Amino acid sequence: MKDETEFDDSCTHTLHREVVELVKKNLPEGKSVTDLSEFFSLFGDYTRLRIMMALEVSEMCVCCIGESLDMSDSAVSHQLKILKDSNLVKSRREGKFVYYSLSDDHVKSIIDIAVEHLSEESE
Amino acid sequence: MKDETEFDDSCTHTLHREVVELVKKNLPEGKSVTDLSEFFSLFGDYTRLRIMMALEVSEMCVCCIGESLDMSDSAVSHQLKILKDSNLVKSRREGKFVYYSLSDDHVKSIIDIAVEHLSEESE
DNA sequence: CTTTCAATTGAATACCTGTTCAATTGAATG
DNA sequence: CATTCAATTGAACAGGTATTCAATTGAAAG
């Protein structure tokens, strides 16, 4: 009857055990990590990122965004919906046009940090 | 013979035209935006993000990461390869084990910024 | 040299997600 | 009220990607 009966799967070194337990304790709950990864995913798509960077320059209506980025209005609208549902952009209607803009400057600051990281990378 | 022959697609208002041209001028070239979106994508996957957050706590061997996060060693190894190719994690071999750790503290700072953003969001 | 365990790899699979296309809604205008 | 243009929506499609599974490599120990 060995001492290891409760540790019968892989990587059973006691030293490693302690680390595993420590990590399990300190890891945030699944929900918040999911939220975080979904947040990063918003920036992880090429066209969505381009839309946000375009809106850093100026607010624009849907068709202007499409023309600036050479995308169909439909594709733009779909992505804008995702960004709006995530509170990264907001919109206002003026006559026939719906103008989109960034909700706040979090977007810019997050992109800036990443740009900075990537530029340091290539040194 | 109208003046609009060169502007015969949608959204032809001169006011909008100027904005479109401004945005086109100020938008970074495609390559750098692609790099940026790929960078964010690394954080945009649930399991990859969990791996990085686990490594914030301590360096670990592959099987310990798997055990901490309840994933197969193979799945962990595949993701670690992606993270290593992107220079977000590094590894060292010690006997039979390969220990992984974060390359630098950029990972932590980027995650922290996002966490901060999300917490402000919910106020 | 054979065995054992950790880690990696490649191929196949399954899932997710962005785009397209067609149809529809909303608002202004004649 | 019909028309026009901007925008939205839903369904279908296609491309990318994470996981699984099986096989293999690498290092230590008997």
Side-chain angles (χ1 to χ4, degrees):
Chain A
M1 216 180 278
K2 304 211 219 108
D3 215 27
E4 307 159 6
T5 38
E6 43 179 337
F7 297 149
D8 54 3
D9 44 5
S10 65
C11 209
T12 55
H13 303 268
T14 22
L15 211 114
H16 285 183
R17 277 277 150 203
E18 290 168 10
V19 172
V20 169
E21 292 310 317
L22 181 68
V23 169
K24 279 187 179 175
K25 269 201 194 73
N26 283 280
L27 218 56
E29 52 176 342
K31 173 72 166 57
S32 62
V33 182
T34 302
D35 289 346
L36 204 50
S37 66
E38 284 175 357
F39 176 73
F40 280 120
S41 291
L42 295 169
F43 295 82
D45 177 70
Y46 176 69
T47 61
R48 264 195 309 266
L49 190 57
R50 280 172 85 215
I51 290 175
M52 289 187 270
M53 293 175 101
L55 293 180
E56 276 187 16
V57 178
S58 169
E59 74 163 11
M60 273 186 287
C61 62
V62 175
C63 65
C64 283
I65 298 175
E67 201 178 323
S68 300
L69 306 180
D70 197 35
M71 303 174 54
S72 72
D73 292 356
S74 177
V76 171
S77 184
H78 276 295
Q79 296 306 330
L80 284 172
K81 177 167 175 45
I82 293 173
L83 292 173
K84 193 179 178 186
D85 289 346
S86 310
N87 294 313
L88 290 179
V89 306
K90 60 182 193 291
S91 64
R92 71 183 170 86
R93 179 177 273 274
E94 191 177 309
K96 280 203 278 193
F97 297 101
V98 177
Y99 293 93
Y100 280 86
S101 59
L102 298 178
S103 295
D104 51 49
D105 42 74
H106 280 117
V107 170
K108 179 164 170 49
S109 63
I110 286 171
I111 292 175
D112 285 350
I113 296 267
V115 168
E116 189 185 332
H117 169 77
L118 285 180
S119 62
E120 288 178 23
E121 190 89 343
S122 56
E123 277 172 10
Chain B
M1 216 180 278
K2 302 210 221 113
D3 215 30
E4 308 159 5
T5 38
E6 42 180 338
F7 296 147
D8 54 3
D9 44 6
S10 65
C11 208
T12 55
H13 302 270
T14 22
L15 210 113
H16 284 184
R17 278 275 149 205
E18 290 167 10
V19 171
V20 169
E21 291 310 316
L22 181 68
V23 169
K24 280 187 178 174
K25 269 201 193 73
N26 283 279
L27 217 56
E29 53 177 340
K31 174 73 167 54
S32 63
V33 182
T34 302
D35 289 347
L36 204 51
S37 66
E38 285 174 356
F39 176 73
F40 281 121
S41 291
L42 294 169
F43 295 82
D45 177 71
Y46 176 68
T47 61
R48 261 194 313 263
L49 190 58
R50 280 173 83 215
I51 290 175
M52 289 188 270
M53 293 175 100
L55 294 180
E56 276 187 16
V57 179
S58 169
E59 73 164 11
M60 274 186 287
C61 61
V62 175
C63 64
C64 282
I65 298 174
E67 201 177 324
S68 299
L69 305 181
D70 197 34
M71 303 175 54
S72 72
D73 293 355
S74 177
V76 171
S77 184
H78 276 294
Q79 296 305 330
L80 283 173
K81 177 167 173 46
I82 293 172
L83 292 173
K84 193 178 179 187
D85 289 345
S86 309
N87 294 313
L88 291 178
V89 306
K90 60 182 193 291
S91 64
R92 70 183 171 86
R93 178 176 274 275
E94 190 178 311
K96 279 203 278 194
F97 297 101
V98 176
Y99 293 93
Y100 279 87
S101 59
L102 299 178
S103 294
D104 51 50
D105 43 74
H106 280 118
V107 170
K108 180 164 168 48
S109 64
I110 286 171
I111 292 176
D112 286 349
I113 297 265
V115 168
E116 189 185 332
H117 169 77
L118 285 181
S119 62
E120 288 178 23
E121 191 87 344
S122 56
E123 279 172 10

